[in-house]
């Protein structure tokens, strides 16, 4: 390692997802079921609002906390929770919100509990601030067992990370699970951070947020997935005012503000009904789950997001061996081990055209039958 590189980067490797994208770039006609972003176009009114903001010279810094119009529109939604002291900060994507939360809340040596499989950024970010990630295994059905979480809590536990609907499994936590987790966090005086970026993509029932049972829950959310604007870097975080005030100060010295003209477009985004897009994704969820099951794959029902996380067929030694074979067949999927201590599963994103999904299912059926 180069002598100038800091120790905190030691466990930071290039994301395995990027490696699959690099392979894809070399293929002629890949079947890409690997990408974590919606394939629908950004609604015209939202694009128009971005153009108008740029042409209207809204290109300088905004207030650190966000343009007042967006901040107050978000605050109005958040106030519906009925919590006395809950504030919001507009951030550079949900990722920016996560970075600020870690910087503001996790001390070196603090433990942060997350559920395995987990979103790739969680262990990386916790590691960067000197925290220790404590994974709680959720295989094979990816349900939350609150007794396991209680057993993982120690005097050093600072935070529990919840992500529902989840990346990479698509599983949505039940009301009973979320409630028990929210109450446990409250009882143990541990921070509960709820990553609700896939909130809009719930196919069987609306999302139940732990904010309902724990008024100190910190929530991160964003426009990336809901409106197909992953490149715009727009998100927000809300929680107890003293925490959000500290994160706002940290934002002054890091991101400065979220992209200013795009915050105006976010106001327009909040006016758009995304139900048709969500309905289209529900159909694709149904197609992919029934296709996988009829080909013999074991897969937990994904109630949300746009991922499924099946087990690799038994005739393959590991999830990554299976993914290598799929990639030889031009099918791009992501090995489960980048989201997990286990190497037994793989992630499919069904944010793709029906025709692509069918081509992908054909390859998967062929591989399972080998
Ligand atoms: N949380 C989860 C669970 C995600 O899957 C993602 C994106 N893949 C993010 C946060 C970050 O999203 P963004 O920074 O684009 O808002």
């Amino acid at each position: 390692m180069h002598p100038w590189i800091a120790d905190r980067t030691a466990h930071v490797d290039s994301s395995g997802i990027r490696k699959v994208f690099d392979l894809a770039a070399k293929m002629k006609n890949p079947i890409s079921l690997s990408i974590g972003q919606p394939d629908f176009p950004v609604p015209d009114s939202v694009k128009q609002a971005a153009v108008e903001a740029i042409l209207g010279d809204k290109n300088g810094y905004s207030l650190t906390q966000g343009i007042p119009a967006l901040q107050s529109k978000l605050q109005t939604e958040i106030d519906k929770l009925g919590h006395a002291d809950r504030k919001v900060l507009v951030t550079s994507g949900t990722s920016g919100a996560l970075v600020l939360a870690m910087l503001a809340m996790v001390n070196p040596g603090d433990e942060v509990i997350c559920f395995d499989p987990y979103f790739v950024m969680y262990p990386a970010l916790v590691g960067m601030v000197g925290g220790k990630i404590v994974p709680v295994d959720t295989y094979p059905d990816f349900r939350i067992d609150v007794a396991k979480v209680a057993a993982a809590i120690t005097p050093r536990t600072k935070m529990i990370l919840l992500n529902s609907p989840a990346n990479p499994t698509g599983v949505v936590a039940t009301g009973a699970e979320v409630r028990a987790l929210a109450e446990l966090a409250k009882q143990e005086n541990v921070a509960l951070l709820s990553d609700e970026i896939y909130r809009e993509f719930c196919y069987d029932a609306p999302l139940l947020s732990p904010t309902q049972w724990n008024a100190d829950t910190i929530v991160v959310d964003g426009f990336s997935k809901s409106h197909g604007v992953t490149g715009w870097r727009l998100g927000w975080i809300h929680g107890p005012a003293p925490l959000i005030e500290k994160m706002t100060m940290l934002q002054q010295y890091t991101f400065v503000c979220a992209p200013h003209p795009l915050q105006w477009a976010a106001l327009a985004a909040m006016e758009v009904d995304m139900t048709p897009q969500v309905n289209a994704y529900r159909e694709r969820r149904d197609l992919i789950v029934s296709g996988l099951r009829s080909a013999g794959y074991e897969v937990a029902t994904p109630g949300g997001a746009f991922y499924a996380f099946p087990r690799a067929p038994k005739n393959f030694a590991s999830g990554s061996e299976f993914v290598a074979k799929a990639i030889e067949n031009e099918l791009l999927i992501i090995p489960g081990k980048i989201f997990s201590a286990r190497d037994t599963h793989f992630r499919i994103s069904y944010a793709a055209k029906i025709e692509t999904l069918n081509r992908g299912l054909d390859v998967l059926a062929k591989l399972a039958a080998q």
Side-chain angles (χ1 to χ4, degrees):
M1 196 168 74
H2 194 285
W4 293 348
I5 291 175
D7 298 344
R8 77 174 67 85
T9 67
H11 54 276
V12 180
D13 193 5
S14 174
S15 143
I17 300 185
R18 299 282 146 208
K19 287 178 191 151
V20 174
F21 292 168
D22 292 344
L23 278 173
K26 298 188 190 106
M27 290 179 185
K28 265 213 296 296
N29 188 16
I31 311 163
S32 183
L33 300 184
S34 56
I35 197 146
Q37 67 183 350
D39 69 321
F40 52 76
V42 178
D44 281 344
S45 60
V46 181
K47 289 183 193 163
Q48 198 58 44
V51 170
E52 277 164 22
I54 291 170
L55 293 177
D57 295 322
K58 295 186 166 78
N59 299 303
Y61 298 124
S62 76
L63 289 177
T64 295
Q65 56 271 37
I67 58 169
L70 179 59
Q71 213 202 3
S72 71
K73 205 171 170 73
L74 289 166
Q75 187 74 48
T76 303
E77 286 304 307
I78 290 160
D79 286 345
K80 291 181 186 158
L81 293 170
H83 299 163
D85 202 22
R86 178 166 289 271
K87 289 279 170 294
V88 64
L89 168 65
V90 179
T91 57
S92 282
T94 309
S95 305
L98 286 166
V99 170
L100 294 173
M102 295 302 159
L103 285 171
M105 298 175 67
V106 177
N107 278 319
D110 282 354
E111 294 174 4
V112 176
I113 293 176
C114 74
F115 297 98
D116 179 344
Y118 39 73
F119 172 44
V120 283
M121 220 177 239
Y122 299 158
L125 286 182
V126 170
M128 275 184 223
V129 295
K132 184 177 165 228
I133 199 90
V134 177
V136 169
D137 186 280
T138 60
Y139 289 81
D141 54 4
F142 313 120
R143 307 261 45 121
I144 291 172
D145 180 344
V146 175
K148 278 194 193 168
V149 181
I153 290 178
T154 75
R156 301 249 35 182
T157 308
K158 173 59 77 63
M159 183 187 278
I160 301 169
L161 282 168
L162 171 67
N163 174 218
S164 170
N167 180 3
T169 63
V171 168
V172 179
T174 64
E177 288 166 343
V178 176
R179 180 179 186 160
L181 191 69
E183 288 174 350
L184 175 73
K186 190 153 74 180
Q187 178 198 318
E188 298 286 339
N189 195 26
V190 164
L192 178 58
L193 192 153
S194 179
D195 182 342
E196 301 181 2
I197 190 167
Y198 296 103
R199 178 176 42 90
E200 299 266 344
F201 300 93
C202 278
Y203 308 119
D204 304 324
L207 181 67
L208 292 170
S209 168
T211 46
Q212 203 177 319
W213 296 285
N214 181 334
D216 292 329
T217 305
I218 300 114
V219 176
V220 294
D221 205 331
F223 294 97
S224 281
K225 314 283 174 170
S226 58
H227 295 79
V229 291
T230 49
W232 282 11
R233 315 310 309 129
L234 276 180
W236 67 93
I237 183 164
H238 56 98
L243 296 177
I244 300 300
E245 279 155 19
K246 191 52 93 177
M247 291 176 208
T248 308
M249 289 175 208
L250 290 168
Q251 175 142 284
Q252 287 176 15
Y253 300 109
T254 51
F255 303 96
V256 182
C257 61
H260 182 186
L262 304 177
Q263 293 184 54
W264 292 95
L267 276 175
M270 289 178 77
E271 297 299 322
V272 182
D273 178 12
M274 299 305 284
T275 316
Q277 286 86 341
V278 173
N279 287 342
Y281 275 28
R282 182 186 293 103
E283 270 173 41
R284 295 177 204 194
R285 187 274 308 257
D286 293 345
L287 174 78
I288 213 88
V289 171
S290 69
L292 282 165
R293 287 192 178 140
S294 56
Y297 286 86
E298 185 187 313
V299 60
T301 301
F306 30 74
Y307 310 110
F309 200 64
R311 193 184 171 101
K314 297 271 183 330
N315 45 330
F316 291 86
S318 64
S320 29
E321 190 183 289
F322 175 77
V323 169
K325 201 72 188 167
I327 290 175
E328 269 175 37
N329 286 270
E330 307 242 298
L331 170 62
L332 302 176
I333 47 179
I334 309 287
K337 71 165 185 198
I338 74 156
F339 310 97
S340 179
R342 301 202 198 195
D343 185 10
T344 47
H345 288 60
F346 60 98
R347 188 190 80 174
I348 299 182
S349 161
Y350 51 87
K353 294 193 177 64
I354 300 276
E355 183 219 333
T356 312
L357 297 181
N358 281 327
R359 279 176 68 209
L361 284 171
D362 286 347
V363 174
L364 290 169
K366 193 177 89 183
L367 293 175
Q370 268 179 7

